[in-house]
Amino acid sequence: MSSYFVDTTLALFKVNGEICCLDNTCLHRGGPLGDGFLEGNIVTCPWHGWQYDVRRGELLIDPSVKIATYPLRVEGNEIKVAV
Ligand code: FES
């Protein structure tokens, strides 16, 4: 097993029992998506309201714009994210 640190923060969301992971930094001006409001599979950035699909990272108003998403797996009490 190997562990390392990366220079980014991640946001985790639970949608219908599925955990989704995406970059925590909003593409608009860097708002913390992990502090946003989650409704269904859509998170709203707490700073200016941009909305993303947390499963695919797509910006709601322009799905061609995507924030990074990361695959993960749950092992016991740990969530392991592939970054
Ligand atoms: S920083 Fe997220 S909407 Fe502006």
Side-chain angles (χ1 to χ4, degrees):
M1 181 173 101
S2 62
S3 298
Y4 57 93
F5 295 94
V6 293
D7 188 21
T8 189
T9 57
L10 305 174
L12 296 171
F13 301 95
K14 193 170 188 180
V15 177
N16 295 329
E18 176 190 359
I19 300 173
C20 305
C21 180
L22 61 157
D23 195 306
N24 189 47
T25 305
C26 179
L27 296 174
H28 180 221
R29 293 194 177 168
L33 294 178
D35 292 339
F37 179 71
L38 183 68
E39 185 171 20
N41 59 312
I42 304 300
V43 64
T44 301
C45 178
W47 285 8
H48 312 102
W50 281 28
Q51 294 180 305
Y52 300 87
D53 182 324
V54 299
R55 296 170 305 177
R56 295 186 295 272
E58 296 170 350
L59 183 65
L60 228 56
I61 59 170
D62 183 355
S64 69
V65 177
K66 294 183 180 181
I67 196 163
T69 59
Y70 302 94
L72 60 84
R73 69 175 185 266
V74 178
E75 291 184 6
N77 292 330
E78 294 184 349
I79 297 173
K80 297 186 175 184
V81 180
V83 291

